[in-house]
Amino acid sequence: MDEMVSVEVGDLKGGALDWAVAQATENEDVEINSGYSTDRNGAKIESGLVERFTDYSDRPFNWAEPYSPSTDWSQGGPLIQLYRLAVWPTFNGTFCAGGCDGDYWGELSLKGEDIEEGNTPLVAICRSVVCAQLGGVVEVPAILLPS
């Protein structure tokens, strides 16, 4: 694998954040595209993106789809229920997310160790999951970091 770099969870974004979410959720079908490939519609997927490979054994080919829970609600949204997260806006226009204790909304108390901030709700959700599962500093492939 490519060179790994230590990054604070609060600084993760884009492909690096998506890759870290895949590691935190043990999503084994996710790989880093090191060259380029095409998705099911024939669109080119550039290098450095995180992809989820889908096995269609009944078809003559498999294809890659972008894996981007930090921008795709169908991938990132279910993390809210899975990890019992609360998400709320801040006064500075960003969002926070963190794990909750309690059986219903009236009893919720936030667990401070995994509260993370992001410029969108999905970024905050993804950072919170990564922090809770992997810690505040994670190793990510250097190819996924912005130049």
Side-chain angles (χ1 to χ4, degrees):
M1 176 165 281
D2 294 318
E3 174 190 358
M4 301 296 278
V5 179
S6 294
V7 180
E8 290 190 26
V9 171
D11 294 331
L12 288 173
K13 60 185 174 183
L17 178 55
D18 296 330
W19 186 87
V21 171
Q23 303 310 300
T25 59
E26 299 179 357
N27 191 335
E28 296 175 0
D29 294 333
V30 173
E31 297 181 13
I32 297 170
N33 179 352
S34 57
Y36 77 89
S37 60
T38 56
D39 68 12
R40 72 176 108 181
N41 299 316
K44 184 176 179 181
I45 299 174
E46 299 293 336
S47 68
L49 293 181
V50 180
E51 314 177 306
R52 176 175 49 204
F53 287 87
T54 307
D55 180 17
Y56 291 93
S57 301
D58 59 334
R59 299 184 186 160
F61 59 89
N62 295 331
W63 61 63
E65 297 177 301
Y67 178 71
S68 185
S70 68
T71 59
D72 184 340
W73 276 100
S74 71
Q75 296 173 0
L79 298 173
I80 296 170
Q81 182 175 356
L82 183 64
Y83 292 97
R84 296 180 56 101
L85 299 175
V87 183
W88 63 95
T90 67
F91 292 110
N92 65 2
T94 62
F95 295 85
C96 284
C100 298
D101 290 326
D103 293 329
Y104 59 92
W105 287 107
E107 285 187 352
L108 289 182
S109 63
L110 293 171
K111 299 187 277 185
E113 65 270 9
D114 60 357
I115 294 175
E116 288 291 331
E117 187 175 4
N119 61 333
T120 68
L122 283 173
V123 169
I125 291 163
C126 289
R127 287 177 177 167
S128 180
V129 169
V130 171
C131 183
Q133 300 301 309
L134 303 178
V137 177
V138 296
E139 296 281 319
V140 298
I143 192 173
L144 295 177
L145 296 174
S147 302

